[in-house]
């Protein structure tokens, strides 16, 4: 195919109204404008009555929309989801054996924390990108650390059946790209973390830490042997500092980000709450699944449909003209594919995660409109044909 064919490929007539398909920070909620934040508590202390009230509103709305059980505590912490996870790891692990599920990059990060930083003997159940580890190996006598949804691999656990109801250890679940999009089995989860910039499309830098009764019991019965950074300290004199879960943050939060989270939660409630958020994500995945089923050049990175994410959808190029290239050349092709979409302004930030196999990653959470995913699929085909033509012409 020559240069003329490269320049004359017809572009699709429809364009997504909103081309933001990034997997974090994710698309803002439909209808969002900066004016939505005009009531932010700015220029005031976050410890003022007004500031703490807005933080408490974010906590209460999170509990309501996410349907968190009444006996679980919800807190806002520093450092995004990473900070929330690390608070749990550093504060709670140690008294029991530890197992970690590692099937994408963030799960591997938690392995580094536990094994190399805390230096705890831990069993790592891992799997390559696109697959889940053998969940039958999860032990009820050990503490378990896992991601519910692999943001960088497009793989999720289909349910929590692999966790024993009569478990002796605690479960620490990184749910940052699962919360609000996938059903979380609270009966099996003792610690749940997420960040606003994922399924809520909120601003970054803040994490949400949710503790169940068993996690609280661990915090109040166990003192780690290692020094605890201030940002991780959740207890005072052996008792949980419950002020953290009433709007008194450990460090200074951005009240502009808090206002944005409140706005996103109000929107979620207005459209029908958790059930509608999950329905929207499922409908978005269905658009891409229908397109993949009739498209020869692409497949899901997650081979098992039951374990396929409905938020961070990861795709791989399977056309033999590409798979026959060297690893570096395949990675370069994927970059050019994403670049072609970005140059047209039809799909922004859709390249695969840097540690994942080369491909595309398209966010399908509830803040993305199904109509925009419907409009982007012809552009994915256009970008592939354009990039493969350039490859042939080179």
């Amino acid at each position: 195919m020559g240069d003329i064919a490269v320049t004359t490929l017809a572009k699709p007539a429809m364009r997504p109204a909103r081309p933001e398909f990034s997997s974090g920070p994710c698309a803002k909620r439909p209808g969002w404008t900066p004016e939505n934040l005009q009531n932010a508590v700015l220029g005031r202390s976050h410890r003022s009555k007004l500031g703490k009230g807005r933080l408490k509103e974010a906590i209460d709305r999170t509990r309501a929309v996410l349907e968190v059980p009444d006996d679980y505590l919800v807190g806002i912490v520093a450092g995004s989801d990473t900070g929330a996870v690390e608070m749990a790891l550093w504060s709670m692990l140690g008294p029991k054996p530890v197992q970690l599920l590692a099937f994408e990059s963030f799960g591997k990060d938690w392995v580094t924390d536990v094994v190399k930083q805390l230096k705890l003997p831990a069993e790592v159940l891992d799997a390559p990108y696109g697959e889940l580890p053998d969940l039958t190996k999860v032990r009820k006598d050990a503490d378990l650390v896992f991601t519910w949804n692999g943001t960088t691999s497009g793989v999720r656990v289909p349910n929590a059946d692999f966790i024993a109801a009569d478990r002796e250890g605690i479960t620490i679940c990184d749910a940052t790209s699962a919360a609000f999009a996938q059903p979380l089995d609270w009966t099996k989860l003792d610690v749940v973390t997420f960040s606003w910039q994922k399924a809520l499309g909120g601003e970054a830098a803040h994490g949400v830490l949710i503790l169940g009764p068993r996690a609280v019991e661990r915090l109040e019965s166990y003192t780690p042997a290692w020094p605890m950074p201030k940002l991780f300290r959740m207890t005072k004199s052996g008792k949980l500092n419950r002020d953290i879960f009433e709007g008194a943050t450990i460090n200074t939060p951005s009240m502009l980000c808090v206002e944005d989270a409140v706005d996103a939660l109000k929107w979620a409630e207005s459209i029908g709450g958790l059930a509608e958020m999950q329905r929207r994500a499922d409908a978005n995945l269905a658009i891409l699944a229908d397109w993949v089923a009739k498209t020869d050049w692409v497949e899901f990175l997650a081979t098992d449909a039951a374990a396929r994410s409905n938020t961070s959808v990861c795709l791989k190029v399977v056309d033999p003209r590409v798979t026959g290239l060297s690893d570096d050349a395949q990675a370069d092709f994927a970059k050019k594919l994403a670049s072609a979409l970005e140059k047209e302004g039809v799909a922004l930030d859709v390249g695969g995660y840097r540690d994942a196999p080369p491909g595309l990653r398209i966010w399908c959470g509830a803040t993305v409109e199904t109509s925009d995913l419907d409009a982007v699929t012809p552009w994915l085909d256009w970008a592939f044909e354009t990039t493969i033509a350039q490859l042939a012409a080179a």
Side-chain angles (χ1 to χ4, degrees):
M1 190 178 292
D3 291 339
I4 294 177
V6 172
T7 58
T8 57
L9 287 172
K11 295 179 181 179
M14 296 291 292
R15 303 173 71 88
R18 296 194 305 157
E20 291 85 18
F21 297 106
S22 164
S23 291
C26 302
K28 308 299 287 183
R29 58 95 166 169
W32 183 93
T33 68
E35 285 69 34
N36 299 331
L37 309 182
Q38 60 185 343
N39 292 325
V41 182
L42 305 180
R44 293 291 308 275
S45 170
H46 62 294
R47 302 196 188 281
S48 67
K49 184 176 180 180
L50 193 61
K52 285 184 69 174
R54 193 69 95 252
L55 286 157
K56 184 63 162 57
E57 181 179 355
I59 288 171
D60 290 345
R61 289 186 180 277
T62 297
R63 178 185 299 281
V65 175
L66 195 54
E67 299 180 7
V68 179
D70 291 342
D71 57 348
Y72 280 56
L73 303 175
V74 181
I76 296 169
V77 300
S80 191
D81 176 64
T82 299
V85 172
E86 291 186 327
M87 284 180 74
L89 300 183
W90 285 66
S91 298
M92 300 183 198
L93 295 185
K96 287 188 176 294
V98 180
Q99 287 187 310
L100 299 104
L101 304 185
F103 54 93
E104 51 91 49
S105 63
F106 289 100
K108 297 176 192 295
D109 286 341
W110 312 144
V111 171
T112 298
D113 257 86
V114 174
V115 175
K116 295 186 178 180
Q117 303 302 322
L118 298 178
K119 301 186 185 306
L120 292 173
E123 180 184 10
V124 179
L125 305 177
D126 58 7
Y129 279 88
E131 299 177 24
L132 281 173
D134 183 354
L135 300 180
T136 65
K137 294 183 178 179
V138 171
R139 297 157 44 188
K140 74 174 185 177
D141 66 330
D143 291 337
L144 177 67
V145 180
F146 73 105
T147 51
W148 189 284
N149 183 91
T151 309
T152 65
S153 68
V155 175
R156 63 173 168 180
V157 295
N159 52 55
D161 292 352
F162 63 96
I163 300 172
D166 60 344
R167 63 192 178 282
E168 299 163 23
I170 61 168
T171 55
I172 298 175
C173 175
D174 173 358
T176 197
S177 54
F180 301 99
Q182 298 162 18
L184 301 176
D185 186 348
W186 294 100
T187 66
K188 302 291 185 69
L189 306 177
D190 302 307
V191 179
V192 174
T193 69
F194 68 90
S195 54
W196 293 332
Q197 74 264 25
K198 294 295 185 182
L200 291 175
E203 291 304 295
H206 301 72
V208 175
L209 175 67
I210 303 175
L211 304 181
R214 301 176 80 255
V216 173
E217 193 277 333
R218 172 67 62 85
L219 285 167
E220 294 185 339
S221 64
Y222 165 68
T223 301
W226 43 82
M228 189 68 65
K230 177 183 177 181
L231 282 177
F232 292 175
R233 295 175 201 157
M234 289 185 276
T235 60
K236 287 183 178 180
S237 303
K239 292 295 182 181
L240 180 70
N241 179 5
R242 291 180 179 262
D243 289 348
I244 297 170
F245 305 92
E246 294 294 328
T249 54
I250 294 175
N251 72 325
T252 306
S254 163
M255 297 307 295
L256 199 62
C257 292
V258 171
E259 192 70 20
D260 193 58
V262 169
D263 173 75
L265 289 161
K266 285 181 177 178
W267 168 78
E269 183 180 20
S270 73
I271 65 171
L274 185 61
E276 177 60 12
M277 293 277 279
Q278 293 174 352
R279 188 205 65 77
R280 285 172 64 93
D282 287 342
N284 287 343
L285 171 61
I287 292 291
L288 289 184
D290 289 345
W291 169 72
V292 168
K294 62 185 180 185
T295 304
D296 292 337
W297 64 268
V298 71
E299 283 290 349
F300 287 102
L301 184 58
T303 54
D304 180 3
R308 193 171 290 155
S309 172
N310 64 348
T311 55
S312 54
V313 178
C314 296
L315 304 168
K316 60 183 179 181
V317 178
V318 295
D319 188 285
R321 290 169 291 181
V322 178
T323 57
L325 301 173
S326 68
D327 290 346
D328 287 346
Q330 289 186 56
D332 183 64
F333 184 89
K335 288 179 181 177
K336 288 178 178 176
L337 197 59
S339 178
L341 294 161
E342 183 141 358
K343 286 177 181 177
E344 285 295 325
V346 292
L348 308 178
D349 308 318
V350 295
Y353 190 73
R354 61 181 180 269
D355 295 333
L360 299 176
R361 183 171 60 150
I362 300 175
W363 185 257
C364 288
T367 60
V368 173
E369 297 280 31
T370 304
S371 58
D372 286 332
L373 282 161
D374 207 22
V376 84
T377 54
W379 283 99
L380 299 177
D381 288 322
W382 172 86
F384 173 78
E385 294 299 337
T386 299
T387 308
I388 203 75
Q390 291 170 346
L391 180 68

